[in-house]
Amino acid sequence: DYGRSLNITLLARRSRHFAGTRYLKRGVSDRGKVANDVEHEQICHDESGGGGEGGGIFSSYLQCRGSIPTYWTQESSVTMPKPPIVLNRVDPTYHSTQQHFEDLFKRYGSPIVVLDLVKQSEKREREVIVGNEYRHAIDYLNSYIDQTHKIRYCALDYSHISKHRSLNVSTSLNEVATWAVNQTGFFCSAPRWKIVEDERFEEYDSSHTTTPSSSKKTDHKSSSSSSSSSSTSTTRVEPFEETNGKEAAFVSHHLGVPVFPMEQKGVLRTNCIDCLDRTNVGQFSAGVMALAQQLVVMGIRSSVKLDPSSNMVRVLIDMYVEIGDHISLQYGGSEAHKKGPTAEKSEKGPSIGKHKELL
């Protein structure tokens, strides 16, 4: 697409802790480890770039998935295709949940951005039970965390939005993904440009979602109505100042550890009930937004938005579909039912397909 060779690598690292298949491993362990814990790394390598020692320019974006970090179970049964969700233990201080997020802070730094894709309303409550417990846990933990480092929680009812013609699940996911990537940033070994955001997303219009909030406002906000005020965010691209690189080199020299001028701070943590189908689509949306910004910072593109019908996006779709199938086979025993956006051509580019929900 851009007249040069660009290598894109997508890695998935499954945690060895609290390992097991769906229905046998749910929620969190006593040590704060969760089921189906997978770290994703999206790496871009421009060999023609002017990186150090002729190795080109590298850029990396990390995100993770994992079961809802509270105590809950589902007992499988032949007669019950959708077994009930049970909160099997009472943890008033959410000690295991606290251990889980402490581990995330140690590994990735701050902020921790949580994208919760479970259902927010059901006639017969299943997902809502554990979803409410998750929000209560985050509210409790945030009451003891400094305002700067509070967990930034955003709930988006994927199933509800995808069933309404007037709502667009792809648009909602893209807005949240943009907000999340702007919060954490990404790594680049030799940035040429930087993206400056004039104004953050305050709220966006969506039914049965928790809207993303800026760090100056509350980090957790529930909304069950479709009327929400919104403010657009504008970005501009500026040359990366050479002084930033010199400062990083100075710190690296005196500390004896590698320090780079542009590093990711924090991580996006995405979940649904199984952390498979809906999570695949959510992580793909974040991956596309991150890739668009990575290409700008590396000096390959000037626009922070990718054309949905471009070859770059189509390749990324295939990669997320394949890696999602492998994760689903390991944890659920079958390939993912929601493949993410389909790569079929249309006037509006790829669109999220209507797949039968795994649940």
Side-chain angles (χ1 to χ4, degrees):
D1 285 346
Y2 311 112
R4 69 175 76 186
S5 176
L6 183 68
N7 301 318
I8 301 179
T9 306
L10 185 63
L11 303 176
R13 305 180 182 97
R14 177 176 293 281
S15 172
R16 70 183 189 279
H17 303 287
F18 206 51
T21 57
R22 183 178 51 171
Y23 298 134
L24 296 180
K25 292 293 184 179
R26 291 292 211 193
V28 67
S29 71
D30 293 334
R31 296 184 177 182
K33 306 300 182 181
V34 295
N36 200 21
D37 186 2
V38 183
E39 176 189 82
H40 291 258
E41 184 172 10
Q42 179 176 296
I43 305 171
C44 295
H45 178 211
D46 180 15
E47 296 180 3
S48 62
E53 299 181 2
I57 300 176
F58 285 90
S59 179
S60 169
Y61 174 69
L62 280 172
Q63 55 181 323
C64 64
R65 71 172 74 191
S67 187
I68 294 176
T70 59
Y71 290 116
W72 61 282
T73 59
Q74 269 186 301
E75 294 186 4
S76 59
S77 172
V78 177
T79 59
M80 299 183 67
K82 292 185 178 182
I85 293 175
V86 179
L87 302 179
N88 59 327
R89 287 177 60 179
V90 178
D91 185 8
T93 60
Y94 297 104
H95 179 67
S96 295
T97 308
Q98 178 183 343
Q99 284 187 308
H100 174 69
F101 280 105
E102 281 182 356
D103 181 53
L104 292 182
F105 278 119
K106 289 178 182 177
R107 289 160 58 191
Y108 303 110
S110 174
I112 302 299
V113 181
V114 172
L115 175 56
D116 185 11
L117 299 176
V118 301
K119 296 176 181 178
Q120 302 298 307
S121 62
E122 296 172 294
K123 291 182 179 179
R124 185 177 179 180
E125 292 188 349
R126 293 178 59 256
E127 296 186 12
V128 171
I129 296 173
V130 68
N132 289 338
E133 182 71 3
Y134 192 18
R135 282 193 294 276
H136 294 158
I138 291 180
D139 283 339
Y140 180 84
L141 296 180
N142 276 340
S143 65
Y144 295 96
I145 300 176
D146 182 79
Q147 180 68 29
T148 308
H149 303 292
K150 287 185 184 294
I151 301 166
R152 303 178 185 183
Y153 175 91
C154 174
L156 189 148
D157 193 331
Y158 184 106
S159 299
H160 173 81
I161 297 175
S162 62
K163 292 175 182 177
H164 283 69
R165 295 181 179 179
S166 59
L167 301 175
N168 190 316
V169 68
S170 181
T171 300
S172 299
L173 283 172
N174 289 342
E175 290 183 1
V176 176
T178 303
W179 168 74
V181 173
N182 289 339
Q183 297 290 306
T184 64
F186 49 87
F187 165 83
C188 187
S189 61
R192 295 181 174 180
W193 301 86
K194 63 180 179 180
I195 300 171
V196 180
E197 188 179 17
D198 293 330
E199 184 179 3
R200 294 189 182 279
F201 282 103
E202 300 293 343
E203 298 176 2
Y204 69 95
D205 218 0
S206 191
S207 181
H208 290 280
T209 68
T210 298
T211 59
S213 307
S214 69
S215 57
K216 295 181 181 179
K217 295 199 172 187
T218 57
D219 296 288
H220 168 84
K221 180 175 180 181
S222 298
S223 173
S224 59
S225 65
S226 58
S227 59
S228 298
S229 60
S230 62
S231 63
T232 58
S233 174
T234 58
T235 58
R236 65 181 187 275
V237 179
E238 296 181 352
F240 193 82
E241 299 176 2
E242 187 177 352
T243 55
N244 294 333
K246 291 181 178 179
E247 290 174 359
F250 177 82
V251 173
S252 179
H253 175 73
H254 284 79
L255 293 182
V257 294
V259 178
F260 293 90
M262 181 175 289
E263 296 183 342
Q264 179 170 337
K265 297 179 180 179
V267 72
L268 169 63
R269 185 194 192 278
T270 307
N271 72 269
C272 51
I273 283 295
D274 294 317
C275 299
L276 295 177
D277 296 349
R278 288 169 284 181
T279 299
N280 291 340
V281 181
Q283 289 197 323
F284 167 78
S285 298
V288 170
M289 294 302 164
L291 179 61
Q293 294 193 18
Q294 286 175 299
L295 296 178
V296 170
V297 168
M298 295 168 70
I300 299 174
R301 301 183 76 250
S302 58
S303 173
V304 293
K305 291 186 178 181
L306 282 174
D307 183 0
S309 61
S310 65
N311 292 331
M312 184 77 68
V313 174
R314 295 179 185 278
V315 169
L316 201 64
I317 288 173
D318 293 337
M319 297 174 72
Y320 272 90
V321 166
E322 184 174 356
I323 210 164
D325 283 342
H326 283 291
I327 293 171
S328 184
L329 281 169
Q330 292 173 359
Y331 184 65
S334 64
E335 292 186 350
H337 288 215
K338 282 183 176 58
K339 297 292 187 179
T342 58
E344 296 177 0
K345 290 184 178 180
S346 65
E347 293 181 358
K348 297 181 180 180
S351 61
I352 293 179
K354 294 284 185 179
H355 298 280
K356 185 178 180 181
E357 200 166 332
L358 179 62
L359 303 179

